[in-house]
Amino acid sequence: MTAISLGMPSVPTKLAERRKSRQIQVGSVAVGGDAPVSVQSMTTTRTSDIGATLQQIAELTASGCQIVRVACPTQDDADALAVIAKKSQIPVIADIHFQPKYVFAAIEAGCAAVRVNPGNIKQFDDKVKEIARAAKDHGTPIRIGVNAGSLDRRLLQKYGKATPEALVESALWEASLFEEHDFREIKISVKHNDPVVMIEAYRQLAAQCEYPLHLGVTEAGPAFQGTIKSAVAFGALLSQGIGDTIRVSLSAPPVEEVKVGNQILESLNLKQRGLEIVSCPSCGRAQVDVYKLAEEVTAGLTGMEVPLRVAVMGCVVNGPGEAREADLGVASGNGKGQIFVKGEVIKTVPESKIVETLIEEAMKLAEQMEAAGMESGEPSVSVAG
Ligand code: SF4
């Protein structure tokens, strides 16, 4: 029998082809080219406190961080870099402002890359030759990290403020200085706290160079605001194929940044989705406390490391449809819950048994998926209805 198309548009698994960028190697993580978009964060400990910094790096690693940056404002911090770079499970980037001597210290210490902010390093341009030579000798890539808050004075005068053009000109100027010394192991960021300016800056930059791009909305704010700003800005760029590594900046513990970063990538299908709870927002038709149900199911499944989609729905309007589409689901009504597994109703249980039944069935499915060798992921919650 011939399949007949019903004219339904096919759903793209990804929104755009990746921009073709050069690939660089940040320690064990490839950035750019066809390498997956990576998630980074930055430690908040004093880098000189080696134990605390390594502890935080371990927590970040466990939450899915792939590259970590550490600040290096003092000689004590520079002295700690070698041990941290050696013992960290993920590549360590030293973040250098103001003092060029720490750039050399970080390269010598074996950091996987060094971030420099040319606007903040006095006579940086005069040092590029030596930095390029040291970086080349050690195979250390450099991130040129231009920031709206510390834009080169010359460009501030030219443009009046940190416009997208000013950010891009600053970054490409610095890159050209490295190119003069035949150094191209570069990635670039042009961060601004306003997502609209930031998006435009990265679009212009993407059109004018082949370097891999590190996306960031700088000073994005507290968790709620920063999450929204980052999701909007990264979403706009990544959905056009722009961006090779991301850092969400939140005034919140860095583990939260990593969770948000991973969730953004999962939402765009740029990363294998983890456990996903599709729960409806509830409405006047709900015949069960959907919020409580979704929270209890999420709590019961947190830590599960398989890409399982679980639907928690409040009534029979969309419930059976969503539950059927998910790996596992419940459509509630009349004090009962119809439990779906892989599209089939396997049983109907009283409302008081919905949570435990879902968790029990999720465990069985997870075991089957693990046995089949499916990749792990982080829990996430999405809302339908
Ligand atoms: S499934 Fe939709 S219609 Fe039913 S309770 Fe949830 S939001 Fe309301």
Side-chain angles (χ1 to χ4, degrees):
M1 198 168 76
T2 315
I4 298 168
S5 163
L6 298 176
M8 296 288 282
S10 62
V11 181
T13 51
K14 281 184 191 157
L15 290 166
E17 283 302 310
R18 278 278 287 289
R19 161 181 167 264
K20 292 201 183 341
S21 58
R22 276 175 59 86
Q23 189 170 91
I24 62 167
Q25 201 64 35
V26 177
S28 56
V29 177
V31 174
D34 57 2
V37 179
S38 50
V39 173
Q40 11 186 322
S41 185
M42 188 165 177
T43 53
T44 54
T45 52
R46 299 252 170 258
T47 304
S48 55
D49 185 342
I50 294 174
T53 302
L54 284 171
Q55 172 64 31
Q56 195 171 53
I57 292 176
E59 287 163 16
L60 286 166
T61 308
S63 69
C65 184
Q66 291 158 293
I67 298 172
V68 68
R69 191 153 44 104
V70 300
C72 184
T74 69
Q75 187 60 48
D76 286 348
D77 298 316
D79 292 343
L81 290 176
V83 177
I84 292 170
K86 189 157 178 250
K87 294 201 171 167
S88 168
Q89 304 94 319
I90 53 178
V92 174
I93 301 180
D95 190 75
I96 313 292
H97 294 260
F98 306 115
Q99 301 252 32
K101 66 178 178 179
Y102 298 141
V103 176
F104 299 104
I107 292 171
E108 291 287 329
C111 288
V114 177
R115 179 268 171 118
V116 294
N117 179 345
N120 260 352
I121 298 185
K122 273 196 208 109
Q123 286 149 5
F124 179 83
D125 295 358
D126 303 338
K127 301 268 185 234
V128 168
K129 184 177 178 187
E130 291 165 68
I131 292 174
R133 187 185 305 139
K136 200 186 269 183
D137 288 350
H138 288 79
T140 314
I142 300 281
R143 166 153 75 94
I144 297 173
V146 174
N147 212 313
S150 50
L151 189 64
D152 201 308
R153 206 172 298 153
R154 185 175 55 87
L155 289 161
L156 263 185
Q157 278 165 0
K158 179 173 171 187
Y159 288 95
K161 60 180 180 177
T163 61
E165 291 76 14
L167 294 167
V168 171
E169 187 173 327
S170 174
L172 292 180
W173 162 253
E174 299 304 334
S176 74
L177 297 182
F178 280 98
E179 288 160 6
E180 275 175 25
H181 303 289
D182 200 26
F183 186 84
R184 288 183 175 75
E185 299 308 293
I186 292 170
K187 63 191 168 101
I188 300 183
S189 62
V190 280
K191 298 190 183 181
H192 196 289
N193 61 38
D194 181 333
V196 174
V197 179
M198 176 273 195
I199 291 167
E200 184 52 27
Y202 276 100
R203 279 186 184 153
Q204 292 184 13
L205 184 60
Q208 292 179 48
C209 74
E210 290 189 334
Y211 291 114
L213 303 183
H214 163 123
L215 302 187
V217 177
T218 190
E219 290 100 31
F224 177 74
Q225 180 186 293
T227 299
I228 305 273
K229 277 186 169 184
S230 302
V232 167
F234 296 3
L237 290 164
L238 292 167
S239 67
Q240 296 178 335
I242 299 172
D244 301 288
T245 182
I246 61 171
R247 190 264 171 120
V248 174
S249 303
L250 301 178
S251 304
V255 164
E256 298 305 314
E257 298 182 345
V258 174
K259 286 189 198 162
V260 173
N262 278 312
Q263 186 67 61
I264 291 172
L265 295 184
E266 285 181 26
S267 300
L268 289 166
N269 269 355
L270 293 171
K271 188 173 195 294
Q272 161 93 53
R273 290 189 186 177
L275 174 68
E276 189 178 6
I277 308 232
V278 180
S279 60
C280 82
S282 189
C283 73
R285 297 183 198 91
Q287 293 172 351
V288 67
D289 184 343
V290 178
Y291 300 167
K292 188 160 166 267
L293 201 56
E295 259 174 35
E296 288 177 358
V297 173
T298 303
L301 297 181
T302 294
M304 187 169 273
E305 295 188 337
V306 287
L308 195 67
R309 189 176 163 94
V310 183
V312 179
M313 304 295 290
C315 79
V316 291
V317 171
N318 290 328
E322 289 286 355
R324 209 169 271 127
E325 288 290 309
D327 296 304
L328 170 66
V330 60
S332 312
N334 291 330
K336 294 183 208 137
Q338 265 188 325
I339 306 291
F340 290 75
V341 174
K342 299 283 181 196
E344 303 290 333
V345 179
I346 56 151
K347 58 176 105 165
T348 300
V349 297
E351 194 177 316
S352 60
K353 299 275 183 207
I354 290 175
V355 174
E356 66 179 72
T357 309
L358 282 177
I359 292 172
E360 209 175 276
E361 294 301 326
M363 297 294 177
K364 285 189 207 160
L365 282 174
E367 270 174 36
Q368 291 167 14
M369 288 165 118
E370 272 161 5
M374 301 206 62
E375 285 179 23
S376 65
E378 284 294 302
S380 63
V381 177
S382 65
V383 175

